[in-house]
């Protein structure tokens, strides 16, 4: 639901376009061989080029280009065979060169499209909006400034200087804050599934600026737009844009006009405010980067990248549901993270039964075990084949469902294999009907009062009997056999 | 071709150059003559000519993604006029 519908009413329509910066997960920087590892000691990952020292020259990291092309292809962009870099000039202490190498004319990718679910159904079964992608280009990040509280100084760390980014510029095709947020989430899923970025908004790997304007419904012409800078969470994408739309409508209602300017969302106040002069963007005076010749991306390379594009979540959900008959919600959960989807698919490949059984096990048991033991799917160290082995033990009734969960926990914490755990922990289920029957007979003989109670019409006693037999078996009897034997004998 | 004094002031501000009033007026004349000289190029019809961004035709295909460079923290901040905790210390650039 869009909580703005009250304000927008039938009278106004908002027009929103997003510029998203996404940090690419390469080992080295865009133009130098320094490391990009997150969280290192300040100024410990800096090459002379990143400091803007004289005599240094940039050399393009091919992996960064490959990642950008991957994103461009996934967003159905045209990819240029020859792309150019440009200098964007501004002064700031965390930009030692005095310019950022970016792209201006001839960006790497253009004219793409992203289909975004807009009716609150993230699985995309409902209405969608097609959002045009104007361009996608490569650029380098700046360093990091820390402004010391109460002191007239800032500290500058250059580790982030030169880390590769892609900037993805949408057409002004979004109409509500909820759509903008859905677009961001869809982009996040794409970059994560393409394995080109961790997509973490909280770590700054994904950042967003929003261009926002409003116009009377039915108008073709755009209203005056403002730019909302530095949005760093999905929630603020929604809330910041909503606050700005509200502000603009209030101005128009009061007969005033919107001024074209750059603004910030003040999270505490829940309002946007103009950026102070010192933070404001300047005249960037773009010009072609003289240190970098035209960069060639030949057709064969593009086709190779296209052929190796990982399947995106929407495509995988469709496959799970249509080809494998997995339930809608389970398909949604399983495509939440690439590691999970990969694990599921590899497990299904090891499994001879129906995919839904594996889906149930992953969604209902495996995720809980991972959560309880505090591991990610990759850290757990349990291979899909081993996981399926446990599912088979339960399905073949060698162990109980609960024991299956115990085995998975033990596999993670002790690294032992399933068979060893089953034997060491005595988890093997008693399935010999004869052996179970003698336990059942013993329990019935020892408890004539309860037998009479059951036969007198109190069916609840059955549960108590099952408990007694299970206890007598040391927890190893197959509860299904226990139940049916008990019923058979009590009802006869 | 004629350049206004406000443009000279703007360019100076963008380049963080301090230009005295008197000097600015002189610069208007000097820049005017430079622009006039370069303006001769406008006489050519360049509609069908691709902009030349690089004087030499060179192809660039880049490098592999390998970490093979990096200075020590001391090398990075050692020459800075002011430093703190392995970082550059600079005058604050935002208001509080």
């Amino acid at each position: 639901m869009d909580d703005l519908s009250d304000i927008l009413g039938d009278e106004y329509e908002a027009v929103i376009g997003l510029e998203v910066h996404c940090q690419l997960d390469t080992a080295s920087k865009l133009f130098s061989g320094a490391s990009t590892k997150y969280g290192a000691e300040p100024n410990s990952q800096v090459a002379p080029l990143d400091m803007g020292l004289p005599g240094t020259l940039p050399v393009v990291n091919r992996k960064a280009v490959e990642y950008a092309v991957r994103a461009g292809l996934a967003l159905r962009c045209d990819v240029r065979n020859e792309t150019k870099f440009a200098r964007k000039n501004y002064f700031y202490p965390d930009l030692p060169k005095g310019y950022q190498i970016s792209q201006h004319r001839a960006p790497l990718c253009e004219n793409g499209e992203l289909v975004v679910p807009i009716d609150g159904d993230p699985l995309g079964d409902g209405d969608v909006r097609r959002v045009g992608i104007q361009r996608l280009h490569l650029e380098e990040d700046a360093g990091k400034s820390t402004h010391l509280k109460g002191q007239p100084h800032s500290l500058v760390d250059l580790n982030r200087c030169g880390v590769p980014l892609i900037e993805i510029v949408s057409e002004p095709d979004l109409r509500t804050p909820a759509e903008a947020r859905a677009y961001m989430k869809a982009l996040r899923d794409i970059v994560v599934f393409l394995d080109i970025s961790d997509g973490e908004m909280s770590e700054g790997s994904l950042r967003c600026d929003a261009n926002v304007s409003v116009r009377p419904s039915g108008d073709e012409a755009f209203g005056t737009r403002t730019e909302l800078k530095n949005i760093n969470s999905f929630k603020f994408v929604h809330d910041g844009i909503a606050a700005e739309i509200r502000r603009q409508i209030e101005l128009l209602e009061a007969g005033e006009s919107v001024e074209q300017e750059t603004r910030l969302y003040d999270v505490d106040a829940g309002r946007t405010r103009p950026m102070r002069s010192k933070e404001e963007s300047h005249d960037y005076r773009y010009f072609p980067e003289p240190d970098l010749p035209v960069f060639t991306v030949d057709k064969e390379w593009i086709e190779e990248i296209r052929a190796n594009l990982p399947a995106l979540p929407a495509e995988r959900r469709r496959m799970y549901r249509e080809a494998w008959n997995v339930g809608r919600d389970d398909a949604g959960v399983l495509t939440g993270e690439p590691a999970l989807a990969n694990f599921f698919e590899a497990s299904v490949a090891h499994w001879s039964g129906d995919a839904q059984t594996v889906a149930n096990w992953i969604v209902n048991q495996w995720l809980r075990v991972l959560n309880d033991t505090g591991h990610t799917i990759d850290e757990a160290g349990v291979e899909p084949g081993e996981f399926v082995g446990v599912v088979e033990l339960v399905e073949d009734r060698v162990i109980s469902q609960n024991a299956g969960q115990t085995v998975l926990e033990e596999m993670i914490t002790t690294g032992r294999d399933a068979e060893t755990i089953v034997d060491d922990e005595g988890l093997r289920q008693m399935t010999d009907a004869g052996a179970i029957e003698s336990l059942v007979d013993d329990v019935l003989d020892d408890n004539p009062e309860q037998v009479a109670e059951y036969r007198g019409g109190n069916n609840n006693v059955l549960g108590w009997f099952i408990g007694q037999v299970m206890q007598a078996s040391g927890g190893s009897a197959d509860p299904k056999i226990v139940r049916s034997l008990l019923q058979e004998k009590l009802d006869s | 071709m004629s350049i206004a004094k406000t443009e000279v002031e703007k360019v100076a501000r963008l380049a963080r150059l301090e230009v005295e009033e008197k000097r600015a007026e002189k610069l208007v004349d000097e820049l005017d003559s430079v622009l006039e000289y370069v303006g001769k190029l406008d006489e050519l019809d360049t509609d069908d000519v691709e902009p030349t961004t690089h004087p030499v035709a060179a192809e660039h295909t880049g490098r592999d993604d390998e970490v093979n460079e990096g200075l020590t923290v001391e090398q990075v901040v050692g020459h800075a006029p002011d430093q703190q905790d392995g970082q550059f210390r600079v005058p604050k650039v935002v208001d509080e």
Side-chain angles (χ1 to χ4, degrees):
Chain A
M1 277 300 291
D2 187 6
D3 52 354
L4 257 193
S5 46
D6 295 348
I7 291 189
L8 285 166
D10 295 331
E11 282 176 65
Y12 292 101
E13 178 180 61
V15 176
I16 303 159
L18 297 187
E19 294 172 17
V20 176
H21 286 90
C22 170
Q23 194 175 309
L24 299 178
D25 200 9
T26 55
S28 68
K29 293 186 179 176
L30 182 51
F31 301 114
S32 83
S35 170
T36 59
K37 209 167 190 155
Y38 182 79
E41 183 193 348
N43 293 311
S44 64
Q45 297 177 165
V46 184
L49 178 92
D50 309 323
M51 298 182 69
L53 293 183
T56 55
L57 283 174
V59 187
V60 177
N61 182 342
R62 282 177 70 79
K63 184 69 105 186
V65 179
E66 183 190 327
Y67 283 1
V69 170
R70 248 190 236 177
L73 292 174
L75 293 169
R76 299 180 198 164
C77 290
D78 302 326
V79 181
R80 255 175 221 277
N81 298 116
E82 291 193 333
T83 189
K84 293 173 183 173
F85 290 94
R87 285 190 185 178
K88 178 179 177 178
N89 300 278
Y90 66 94
F91 284 114
Y92 206 77
D94 56 27
L95 189 78
K97 294 203 301 297
Y99 57 85
Q100 175 192 30
I101 305 180
S102 178
Q103 298 197 279
H104 190 50
R105 301 211 166 85
L108 185 59
C109 307
E110 286 169 295
N111 305 324
E113 171 186 83
L114 176 58
V115 179
V116 178
I118 56 169
D119 62 351
D121 175 6
L123 300 185
D125 281 350
D127 292 340
V128 295
R129 188 176 295 287
R130 296 182 179 276
V131 181
I133 304 294
Q134 194 183 93
R135 57 185 282 154
L136 182 157
H137 69 249
L138 269 168
E139 62 185 30
E140 56 177 343
D141 209 345
K144 188 177 147 213
S145 301
T146 310
H147 308 298
L148 299 172
K149 279 230 149 41
Q151 291 181 48
H153 296 110
S154 300
L155 298 183
V156 178
D157 169 12
L158 300 183
N159 282 350
R160 208 176 60 193
C161 258
V163 167
L165 304 174
I166 45 174
E167 179 174 336
I168 304 163
V169 183
S170 85
E171 297 289 351
D173 289 343
L174 296 157
R175 293 291 173 267
T176 68
E179 286 179 27
R181 182 176 51 195
Y183 169 85
M184 272 307 277
K185 286 197 163 157
L187 262 191
R188 182 258 167 206
D189 278 357
I190 286 177
V191 300
V192 170
F193 272 79
L194 290 176
D195 203 19
I196 62 172
S197 172
D198 64 24
E200 286 289 345
M201 287 200 88
S202 58
E203 287 175 11
S205 301
L206 208 57
R207 294 167 249 163
C208 156
D209 302 334
N211 289 306
V212 181
S213 65
V214 297
R215 63 182 172 192
S217 297
D219 270 21
E220 288 280 317
F222 294 144
T224 307
R225 64 159 203 231
T226 59
E227 187 180 13
L228 208 52
K229 279 273 193 196
N230 300 338
I231 306 173
N232 60 6
S233 80
F234 293 113
K235 180 172 161 46
F236 299 155
V237 171
H238 178 279
D239 296 356
I241 292 172
E244 180 56 18
I245 292 172
R246 243 178 230 124
R247 187 189 71 91
Q248 291 188 12
I249 290 176
E250 278 164 15
L251 280 175
L252 297 180
E253 290 282 287
E256 294 170 47
S257 58
V258 174
E259 211 174 309
Q260 181 164 351
E261 62 185 352
T262 307
R263 300 180 67 89
L264 284 176
Y265 177 53
D266 185 330
V267 176
D268 297 326
R271 283 203 308 262
T272 68
R273 61 168 172 82
M275 265 182 144
R276 287 160 300 200
S277 59
K278 279 182 185 173
E279 302 163 318
E280 203 164 354
S281 68
H282 286 118
D283 177 349
Y284 290 130
R285 295 152 294 147
Y286 283 96
F287 65 88
E289 168 57 83
D291 288 344
L292 283 169
V294 169
F295 189 87
T296 313
V297 187
D298 54 55
K299 285 203 170 67
E300 292 74 36
W301 192 24
I302 296 173
E303 288 318 309
E304 188 190 317
I305 296 169
R306 192 195 303 275
N308 291 308
L309 273 188
L312 295 175
E315 200 180 317
R316 291 170 132 175
R317 272 196 293 277
R318 201 177 319 122
M319 177 174 80
Y320 298 174
R321 292 174 63 184
E322 290 170 11
W324 296 357
N325 287 317
V326 172
R328 182 192 129 86
D329 291 343
D330 289 339
V333 172
L334 292 167
T335 51
E337 295 298 330
L340 190 56
N342 293 341
F343 190 89
F344 172 60
E345 288 167 26
S347 298
V348 169
H350 280 96
W351 174 246
S352 48
D354 65 317
Q356 181 63 52
T357 303
V358 178
N360 285 343
W361 264 88
I362 293 181
V363 172
N364 300 325
Q365 325 282 338
W366 187 220
L367 288 180
R368 183 177 342 151
V369 169
L370 289 171
N371 188 44
D372 289 350
T373 56
H375 289 82
T376 66
I377 210 156
D378 290 328
E379 290 165 358
V382 175
E383 297 300 322
E386 300 175 294
F387 171 77
V388 167
V390 178
V391 179
E392 273 166 355
L393 288 174
V394 177
E395 292 294 312
D396 295 345
R397 296 163 70 175
V398 176
I399 57 175
S400 68
Q401 180 127 343
N402 282 341
Q405 202 161 321
T406 308
V407 170
L408 288 172
E409 280 166 14
E410 290 288 318
M411 284 168 95
I412 294 178
T413 50
T414 68
R416 285 177 297 171
D417 65 76
E419 291 286 347
T420 312
I421 296 165
V422 169
D423 290 336
D424 289 359
E425 309 296 322
L427 297 173
R428 208 167 287 276
Q429 227 169 197
M430 190 191 285
T431 50
D432 174 358
I436 297 177
E437 187 170 8
S438 79
L439 290 177
V440 168
D441 288 340
D442 289 348
V443 168
L444 292 179
D445 288 348
D446 291 348
N447 299 286
E449 280 177 35
Q450 280 79 1
V451 173
E453 209 177 310
Y454 178 89
R455 289 189 175 142
N458 184 0
N459 290 346
N460 293 336
V461 188
L462 182 63
W464 181 84
F465 274 119
I466 294 172
Q468 292 299 305
V469 178
M470 289 304 292
Q471 204 177 346
S473 74
S476 68
D478 183 338
K480 280 184 197 155
I481 300 177
V482 173
R483 170 181 283 269
S484 73
L485 281 171
L486 275 168
Q487 265 174 334
E488 194 182 304
K489 286 173 187 287
L490 286 165
D491 292 341
S492 65
Chain B
M1 188 70 63
S2 180
I3 187 170
K5 196 172 144 203
T6 51
E7 279 181 275
V8 172
E9 286 163 353
K10 185 188 170 195
V11 171
R13 196 175 62 248
L14 284 171
R16 300 295 187 275
L17 294 173
E18 199 175 343
V19 177
E20 283 171 26
E21 187 73 20
K22 248 168 65 187
R23 180 108 178 90
E25 273 159 30
K26 207 170 158 226
L27 278 171
V28 170
D29 293 340
E30 288 178 4
L31 286 174
D32 252 348
S33 77
V34 170
L35 289 172
E36 196 184 305
Y37 178 68
V38 177
K40 198 149 185 65
L41 291 171
D42 286 341
E43 292 169 18
L44 290 171
D45 177 6
T46 56
D47 281 358
D48 297 325
V49 181
E50 278 286 299
T52 304
T53 52
H54 298 83
V56 185
E59 214 177 80
H60 183 64
T61 52
R63 49 171 251 275
D64 290 337
D65 182 28
E66 280 166 12
V67 177
N68 50 21
E69 270 191 290
L71 302 167
T72 63
V73 176
E74 175 54 27
Q75 283 173 320
V76 174
V77 298
H79 299 287
D82 196 5
Q83 51 167 294
Q84 182 183 327
D85 306 328
Q87 300 201 54
F88 298 92
R89 197 162 82 152
V90 300
K92 188 167 267 181
V93 277
V94 290
D95 313 319
E96 262 177 311

